[in-house]
Amino acid sequence: MVSITNRTKVKVKTAKYRSKSSTKWLQRQLNDPFVKKAHELGYRSRATFKIIEIDDKFHLFKQGKKVADIGSAPGGWSDIAVKRVGKGNVAAIDILEMKPIDGVKFKQVDFNLDEAKEFLIQALNGKADVVISDIAPNTTGNQSVDHLQIMALVEQAYYFAIEVLKTGGSFVAKVRQGGTEASLLSEMKKHFSTVKHFKPNSSRKESAETYVIAQGFKE
């Protein structure tokens, strides 16, 4: 379990050319103990702690297992995956650039394209044991719109995952709190032995994000 005690809070004044929302975001970042700890440990982002907690609880990454990371940039999840499964066993894709990680094969490509699936299967020399996705759209501030957007991405990631997963494999994806839509959850339960929701301690308390962990893929 990842648990970090907060420290003395830093107050940030609104600068002349900085909006109130930007000031609020900066203050939150400066006071976030997971942001500080990620910097101290050399992690690429605070999201790294989330996949550590998920794996510690659900035991997804075992030495030699093949992992596909969808929407991998900046690389925090791939970084932990390769440390736990071994070099050459992780392949990652994102429409954004990602700085290289030793032992991780990366391609800058939209995961909705056929070449994304082809790259992952070729890079892993076969299908994946685990597909992980921390993809999230830019938020609008409108909860209904944000929910629909992230659920659309989750659905796309899910259908992508079942095409590249081995029998018995696992799928992890970010969703909005309250779980997946009933139809998608029902679909997942048809193809996986277990489907659970989990909110890591490193996920901000005020955040509506949680994660769906589906294990035991049945083709």
Side-chain angles (χ1 to χ4, degrees):
M1 180 181 293
V2 178
S3 180
I4 299 176
T5 304
N6 211 336
R7 306 169 189 174
T8 304
K9 288 190 175 182
V10 178
K11 291 185 178 180
V12 180
K13 294 182 179 179
T14 303
K16 184 177 180 181
Y17 298 106
R18 189 194 303 133
S19 67
K20 288 183 179 180
S21 60
S22 294
T23 299
K24 185 177 179 181
W25 177 87
L26 179 59
Q27 182 163 307
R28 185 180 67 182
Q29 290 294 101
L30 290 172
N31 288 297
D32 189 323
F34 286 99
V35 171
K36 294 176 183 178
K37 194 65 177 178
H39 179 73
E40 290 172 6
L41 295 175
Y43 291 158
R44 297 195 172 200
S45 71
R46 73 185 309 284
T48 302
F49 293 108
K50 299 173 187 177
I51 195 61
I52 290 173
E53 287 188 73
I54 291 169
D55 186 44
D56 285 350
K57 183 173 178 64
F58 295 96
H59 311 293
L60 304 168
F61 302 148
K62 297 178 181 178
Q63 194 68 28
K65 292 292 185 180
K66 306 289 186 178
V67 179
D69 189 355
I70 307 173
S72 57
W77 282 29
S78 286
D79 191 30
I80 296 302
V82 75
K83 285 180 172 65
R84 297 192 175 191
V85 302
K87 294 180 180 180
N89 293 322
V90 179
I93 55 173
D94 202 308
I95 58 172
L96 303 175
E97 291 183 11
M98 186 179 86
K99 291 182 180 179
I101 298 173
D102 187 26
V104 176
K105 299 171 185 176
F106 172 75
K107 184 179 180 66
Q108 187 174 356
V109 63
D110 186 333
F111 79 89
N112 287 303
L113 299 178
D114 288 338
E115 63 181 285
K117 299 184 186 74
E118 293 167 3
F119 163 74
L120 288 175
I121 291 173
Q122 183 177 10
L124 295 174
N125 195 29
K127 291 190 173 184
D129 295 290
V130 186
V131 174
I132 53 177
S133 171
D134 197 32
I135 299 174
N138 293 325
T139 56
T140 65
N142 183 308
Q143 291 187 355
S144 297
V145 172
D146 291 341
H147 176 76
L148 290 173
Q149 288 184 337
I150 195 168
M151 291 313 303
L153 273 177
V154 173
E155 186 171 357
Q156 290 168 15
Y158 166 72
Y159 284 110
F160 178 96
I162 63 176
E163 290 189 44
V164 300
L165 268 177
K166 292 179 183 178
T167 300
S170 302
F171 172 60
V172 177
K174 180 187 292 182
V175 296
R176 297 282 291 184
Q177 202 155 26
T180 50
E181 294 294 336
S183 58
L184 180 56
L185 188 61
S186 177
E187 179 68 16
M188 284 186 178
K189 288 180 177 179
K190 290 179 184 177
H191 291 281
F192 289 88
S193 298
T194 63
V195 179
K196 298 180 180 179
H197 291 92
F198 176 66
K199 187 175 177 67
N201 289 327
S202 49
S203 183
R204 292 188 177 99
K205 291 181 180 179
E206 70 274 15
S207 171
E209 74 175 18
T210 187
Y211 290 85
V212 61
I213 294 89
Q215 294 179 282
F217 176 58
K218 299 174 288 186
E219 293 189 65

